[in-house]
Amino acid sequence: MKLSFVIPSFQDDRILETIESIKTINAPINSIEIIVQDGGSKEELLSKIKDLLTANDRLIVEKDFGIFDGINRGLKNASGDLIATLGTDDRVVFLDYYL
């Protein structure tokens, strides 16, 4: 089973903590993917996001029409059996979870 996290974002540094919280999940490799749908943040933030992502994850940078359009665009790129949408100010906490 694969779990996809879709995070719409635009120029919000809090996304870095959101991604780091996902990375704390104790799950087999390739069972989690992070889709960051960015509406056109500055290169400095995009670089920091890229540094946190792995080969399983995707950073898609394209202009969108707001948070809900960003979510819908991210959902189209998700390949998980389960999909969770997160805001840039959300954090994921799993005490003991295995996919």
Side-chain angles (χ1 to χ4, degrees), residues 15 32-33 41 53 55 58-59 63 66 69 73 90:
I15 191 171
I32 293 179
E33 75 175 349
S41 295
L53 301 179
R58 299 181 69 191
L59 171 60
K63 185 137 179 72
D69 185 40
R73 289 170 186 251
D90 292 330

Side-chain angles (χ1 to χ4, degrees), residues 2-6 22 30-35 54 56-58 74 77-83 99:
K2 185 175 187 179
L3 176 58
S4 297
F5 289 96
V6 174
I22 296 168
N30 297 329
S31 64
I32 293 179
E33 75 175 349
I34 300 170
I35 309 292
T54 67
N56 292 338
D57 306 324
R58 299 181 69 191
N77 288 287
S79 64
D81 302 298
L82 299 171
I83 301 172
L99 290 176

Side-chain angles (χ1 to χ4, degrees), residues 26-62:
N26 183 15
I29 202 159
N30 297 329
S31 64
I32 293 179
E33 75 175 349
I34 300 170
I35 309 292
V36 176
Q37 180 69 40
D38 189 273
S41 295
K42 294 179 181 174
E43 190 56 43
E44 180 181 347
L45 178 57
L46 293 175
S47 178
K48 291 177 183 178
I49 292 170
K50 289 176 194 173
D51 288 344
L52 293 175
L53 301 179
T54 67
N56 292 338
D57 306 324
R58 299 181 69 191
L59 171 60
I60 303 160
V61 181
E62 59 187 12

